[in-house]
Amino acid sequence: TGGEFVENFNNLTVALEKVLDRTSVTYVLAFQAKDLKLDGEFHKLKVKLKGGPKGARLAYRPGYFAPKPYSEVSQRERIFSAASRIYGESSGQVETSALAAPFEIASQMAYVPTLIEIDGVDLLRGNQGGTVTAEIYGYAVADDGQVKDFFNQTIGIDVAKAGPTLQETGLKFFNQFELPPGTYDARILVRNASTGASGVSVFRFQVPDSERKDPVLLPPMFPEQAGKWLIVRGQRAEEATHDYPFTVQGEPFIPAVKPVLTPGQAAAVLLSGYGLGDSVQMSAELVDLTGEPVDGVSLNLGERRLAADPAMAQWTATLSLGPQEAGEYLLRFTATDPESGETYSSNIKVTVTS
């Protein structure tokens, strides 16, 4: 990337003054190379200044490396590039969504099952042959920037055996983190190992401190029909001794990571939390992509009941939408303590169909 080395200064202040002086005026030049061969070769750059003041000196990067076909990139390079991308915003050619929620919080390290939905059409685009290979990287990043836990796994899928499910919806990957109390971003990178096409998703969640009994409202969970996704359990989830976490009155279900809601049709939703009082009140709000609330959301809350984890409380509910424009929204649930007025919220991205 270029740069300059400021050396032989015992006084840091003087060195920093030099750095500030040299970088006080910076120009950004960009160009698009045409017919660039994907061979990884180094290409020199030369920048000239016309009509500059006497004594002017240019500092610029000496050149660049052409990219290589992704199939020729080493495993080490792939891991490093994944780490560099993971701190960005949700983006990419492969649509990816994540959902993470803490369970079994009484132990020192909470069990945090994590679900990742990967759009099948995006994952298959440009793929050659009868097998598609997905690289999945998951990082639990604390507020101070430290990675507290991670997983990565490469999955090979026989497209013919996967059938139409992979193309109609996609792949749902189930794995887990083990985390101490704190607030985290689950940062997920999914990448096609042949084409290099990738997508990043970010999901924020909190692991409460069981000793302090921190009140937390977990992400809402919308059960969806079995067989909708091609489901793969990660290696860590396969080897774990934890009970399956997603149940209602002992019956297992599969949560939707990005629920699809239809105006006029009631949708079942499971609300769960820790440290919330018996008289807590629940509400739901739909927010558009500009951050503006949308009218026409009603929530019918059932009775509070204990979950398999005795520290957790659950409520079954139904959510209904009035006439809404089709599109992407943020659905926010809020628990309010009527005595203290304290509120605790959780969000999930949803798609509203017409």
Side-chain angles (χ1 to χ4, degrees), residues 172-192:
K172 180 173 286 193
F173 182 70
F174 175 39
N175 218 344
Q176 67 185 60
F177 296 118
E178 302 279 345
L179 296 168
T183 303
Y184 299 90
D185 285 335
R187 294 187 168 272
I188 308 298
L189 169 66
V190 175
R191 187 162 55 192
N192 182 311

Side-chain angles (χ1 to χ4, degrees), residues 69-71 78 85 93-94 125 133 135 189-199:
Y70 191 72
S71 59
R78 294 184 185 199
R85 277 211 62 198
Q93 308 101 315
V94 180
R125 187 176 292 113
T133 303
E135 300 173 343
L189 169 66
V190 175
R191 187 162 55 192
N192 182 311
S194 298
T195 66
S198 63

Side-chain angles (χ1 to χ4, degrees), residues 17-37:
E17 287 176 351
K18 289 284 185 182
V19 172
L20 290 172
D21 181 60
R22 293 183 187 183
T23 59
S24 58
V25 178
T26 302
Y27 294 88
V28 178
L29 301 179
F31 75 98
Q32 180 68 47
K34 295 182 178 180
D35 302 322
L36 185 64
K37 292 183 178 181

Side-chain angles (χ1 to χ4, degrees), residues 106-248:
S107 58
Q108 187 175 5
M109 302 291 281
Y111 163 49
V112 184
T114 304
L115 290 165
I116 302 164
E117 288 179 355
I118 305 163
D119 185 270
V121 173
D122 290 349
L123 186 64
L124 290 168
R125 187 176 292 113
N127 194 79
Q128 302 296 321
T131 301
V132 60
T133 303
E135 300 173 343
I136 302 175
Y137 301 84
Y139 298 82
V141 183
D143 277 351
D144 61 2
Q146 293 189 53
V147 176
K148 294 295 187 178
D149 197 10
F150 74 96
F151 57 77
N152 67 278
Q153 191 165 337
T154 300
I155 301 169
I157 303 169
D158 186 316
V159 177
K161 289 183 178 179
T165 302
L166 186 60
Q167 298 208 29
E168 290 176 1
T169 49
L171 171 67
K172 180 173 286 193
F173 182 70
F174 175 39
N175 218 344
Q176 67 185 60
F177 296 118
E178 302 279 345
L179 296 168
T183 303
Y184 299 90
D185 285 335
R187 294 187 168 272
I188 308 298
L189 169 66
V190 175
R191 187 162 55 192
N192 182 311
S194 298
T195 66
S198 63
V200 172
S201 61
V202 183
F203 185 83
R204 192 163 180 81
F205 65 96
Q206 183 179 349
V207 177
D209 189 322
S210 61
E211 294 184 358
R212 295 201 316 235
K213 298 183 178 180
D214 295 336
V216 171
L217 181 63
L218 298 187
M221 297 184 187
F222 289 81
E224 62 183 4
Q225 65 187 51
K228 183 178 179 180
W229 296 82
L230 177 64
I231 298 178
V232 176
R233 291 173 69 95
Q235 184 175 354
R236 293 183 71 178
E238 287 283 0
E239 296 173 350
T241 58
H242 304 284
D243 293 331
Y244 184 73
F246 308 119
T247 61
V248 180

